[in-house]
Amino acid sequence: MLKGGEPVKALALVDPLEADYLADLRAAVRRPTEDNDPVSAFTRFDPDKVDLVGDVRVRVRMTVAPDTAAEGRALITADYTFVYGVARAGGDETTRVIVRRVLQVDAADPSRYQGTEGHLWIRDLASEIGNDDCREGDGLIDPSFFSDLLSASPQAGETRDPYDRSTSVSREDECGVVSRT
C-alpha cells in the first residue's frame, strides 16, 4: 500500500454495510480525483519517485466513550501520527513525511444495531499531511526535499508544527508550511 498499491487489508476492515463509503474509498484508490483522493485515508507514495527509509514511527492515542446520541453504542477515537523516512528514488537525499489521522469508529451492541461482526463502522476520518507538495487528485504523497525547496518559490499558507497533537486536525483543505520535519 505504501508503494502506491491498493490497501486491500484496510478496505476489508470497513463494514460492507457501509456500501457507499466503501465504494467511494475503492474508487479513490483506483481512479483518484481532486474531490476523492485516497491520501485522505491511506498513505501512498510513488515508488518511482520515493523510497521508504527505515521503520515507520507511530504515536497513537485512543479513547473509548459512550455515544451520547445513541444508547448501546461506543465511540472509539484513534489519533495517529505516522512519521515516514523517505529518500528520493535512486538518490541519497532524505526527508520525513508526517501524517496525522484522527479516525472515529462505532462499536455497537449487535442485538440493537445492524453491523457486520469483525468490521468497523467509520464515523469520521480527518487527516493532515506534513511535507507534501499539496497536489490533489493523483492519489500519492509527493514529499519536498531540501534541494526542491532551494529551487522553488516559497510555499504559502499557515506554518504548522506537524507533531503538535494539542490541536485538532484541520478541516480546511489548505496547504501550509511545516515548521519542522
Side-chain angles (χ1 to χ4, degrees), residues 21-35:
Y21 181 67
L22 200 50
D24 284 348
L25 283 174
R26 286 188 172 123
V29 169
R30 291 186 182 120
R31 291 173 306 286
T33 66
E34 198 168 311
D35 294 328

Side-chain angles (χ1 to χ4, degrees), residues 38-125:
V39 297
S40 62
F42 306 111
T43 301
R44 301 169 75 219
F45 299 100
D46 182 342
D48 293 332
K49 294 182 180 179
V50 176
D51 291 325
L52 295 171
V53 177
D55 296 328
V56 176
R57 304 293 178 159
V58 182
R59 183 173 180 195
V60 64
R61 177 179 41 228
M62 292 184 77
T63 60
V64 179
D67 186 339
T68 56
E71 189 176 322
R73 286 194 332 205
L75 182 62
I76 301 168
T77 303
D79 186 342
Y80 288 93
T81 301
F82 300 91
V83 181
Y84 301 92
V86 296
R88 191 181 307 275
D92 59 358
E93 189 176 5
T94 62
T95 191
R96 291 186 188 130
V97 173
I98 303 94
V99 178
R100 182 174 175 207
R101 289 200 170 78
V102 178
L103 173 68
Q104 292 184 324
V105 298
D106 280 335
D109 179 347
S111 67
R112 300 170 97 177
Y113 296 98
Q114 192 175 24
T116 307
E117 187 174 331
H119 292 79
L120 301 173
W121 193 272
I122 309 299
R123 165 97 51 108
D124 191 34
L125 175 63

